[in-house]
Amino acid sequence: MSMEFLVPITGSFARPAAENPTVAMVNAAYRDLGLDWTYINCEVAPDSLPQAVEGARAMGWAGFNCSIPHKVEVIKYLDRLGESASLIGAVNTVVIKDGVLTGENTDGKGFVEGVRQVTSVEGKRVLIFGAGGAAKAVSVELALAGVSNIQVVNRSEKRGQELVDLINAETEASAEFVVWDRRVDVPENTDIVINATSVGLYPDVDEQLNMNPDTLLSHMVVADGIHNPPRTHLLKAATSRNCRTVDGLTMLVNQGILGIKCWTGKDASEAVMRETLNKVLHHCD
Ligand code: NDP
């Protein structure tokens, strides 16, 4: 019996959804892999999340991404959680298999994968700016991947301290909180510097981190979670001081590759996905 009129469905539930380029990236990857799969970008209001999830299950979707504002709320409608998703307390990728919904978090995993493309992470000392959802995902994954120490630099003390407590309680890594109430110097013994705040994101591209760029030294790897525009002030400052860098596009692509692997079992092309993102995003540097 031919199955050619029934294709596997994946997608995204978010609000707002219109600015999210993942749909273009994932569909390009499916086509490149020769898969007849599809990915649908859905605008889902917070009140409608349970129906959307049940709908995906009822219609036999293979899985979906969750973005703002559903990453935490979606957990109560899932059957199982991966280790890091459970620690982070947020899910951005759901896999549906035989009607069972499993939540994973690829935000931090994609980030760590990007960092790993330029340096090993085991035993390294990390300084991360931010303590929001992205910072939490990245810090937990780095700690699980074996970094030795994480300095969390954040304006709000509550969020920063909570993240530090989580790392110290649940992982082998040690962590300290640094309140961000002045221009920060990056300590000389730092190996990896990360921006996980929203500073630098389009359209506020001229906003800069309150840090001394002259404390970025050439032995440091500098990574930025901002994907639009990918050449942020931080990465430009790092490059001019001969640091190796990892941009937010790399993170986004790696996160997409991990999601596609979870759903289809296939390894998608990084080049095809990056090229697609470059085409659809309006970079302004
Ligand atoms: P949240 O709202 O959860 O957290 C925002 C963080 O940024 C907080 O730590 C906040 O500090 C800090 N912040 C915001 N404005 C400033 C400022 N002017 N100065 C200093 N700190 C500031 O957002 P997310 O963590 O979900 O997302 C953050 C960024 O990460 C997004 O902009 C997104 O682009 C990026 N991201 C990238 C991904 C990728 O794959 N490339 C994946 C997910 C996110 P405070 O607590 O003090 O308010």
Side-chain angles (χ1 to χ4, degrees):
M1 191 174 68
S2 168
M3 290 291 282
E4 65 189 305
F5 299 117
L6 186 63
V7 302
I9 303 172
T10 53
S12 171
F13 301 155
R15 189 165 90 169
E19 300 272 307
N20 188 342
T22 301
V23 58
M25 176 176 83
V26 175
N27 280 321
Y30 287 161
R31 283 192 297 276
D32 178 66
L33 283 167
L35 295 173
D36 61 358
W37 288 49
T38 195
Y39 186 99
I40 305 168
N41 197 23
C42 305
E43 175 126 342
V44 175
D47 283 355
S48 304
L49 182 64
Q51 290 94 323
V53 174
E54 277 317 300
R57 194 201 302 262
M59 288 184 276
W61 284 32
F64 54 89
N65 287 128
C66 272
S67 197
I68 291 166
H70 304 311
K71 289 185 185 185
V72 175
E73 200 61 19
V74 73
I75 289 176
K76 58 169 89 121
Y77 310 112
L78 305 179
D79 304 304
R80 290 209 287 250
L81 288 183
E83 183 193 8
S84 66
S86 166
L87 277 183
I88 296 160
V91 160
N92 77 333
T93 304
V94 174
V95 180
I96 309 178
K97 216 169 175 198
D98 303 323
V100 177
L101 276 66
T102 304
E104 300 284 353
N105 193 312
T106 63
D107 278 337
K109 286 193 171 81
F111 206 104
V112 173
E113 199 53 47
V115 172
R116 276 207 160 118
Q117 288 169 349
V118 295
T119 187
S120 66
V121 298
E122 288 79 8
K124 297 291 167 68
R125 298 183 61 86
V126 175
L127 181 142
I128 188 162
F129 292 101
K136 196 173 180 185
V138 169
S139 304
V140 166
E141 295 292 357
L142 282 170
L144 293 177
V147 302
S148 66
N149 178 266
I150 304 179
Q151 305 271 319
V152 175
V153 181
N154 200 51
R155 294 177 313 187
S156 134
E157 210 160 335
K158 187 172 178 291
R159 270 171 135 184
Q161 193 59 53
E162 275 171 13
L163 177 52
V164 162
D165 291 346
L166 174 73
I167 297 163
N168 284 324
E170 303 289 343
T171 76
E172 301 286 312
S174 65
E176 288 104 40
F177 172 59
V178 180
V179 62
W180 200 0
D181 56 3
R182 70 202 69 183
R183 200 158 119 113
V184 163
D185 286 345
V186 177
E188 216 178 311
N189 63 356
T190 307
D191 301 301
I192 303 169
V193 180
I194 296 168
N195 174 32
T197 72
S198 44
V199 173
L201 185 65
Y202 180 85
D204 300 317
V205 298
D206 285 325
E207 203 188 342
Q208 293 189 39
L209 295 175
N210 193 12
M211 55 102 53
N212 180 359
D214 289 331
T215 58
L216 294 173
L217 305 177
S218 61
H219 71 270
M220 298 175 185
V221 169
V222 181
D224 202 323
I226 299 297
H227 66 267
N228 191 19
R231 297 293 310 152
T232 58
H233 276 291
L234 174 66
L235 293 190
K236 285 178 191 163
T239 304
S240 73
R241 287 163 182 82
N242 297 320
C243 303
R244 284 163 296 162
T245 62
V246 187
D247 68 21
L249 273 186
T250 307
M251 318 296 176
L252 196 57
V253 167
N254 281 322
Q255 183 194 304
I257 290 175
L258 290 166
I260 291 169
K261 181 83 176 181
C262 285
W263 298 321
T264 70
K266 304 262 194 249
D267 295 308
S269 159
E270 185 174 346
V272 165
M273 292 167 76
R274 184 176 260 273
E275 194 183 311
T276 306
L277 281 182
N278 272 322
K279 255 188 248 159
V280 299
L281 289 172
H282 309 290
H283 295 150
C284 42
D285 63 342

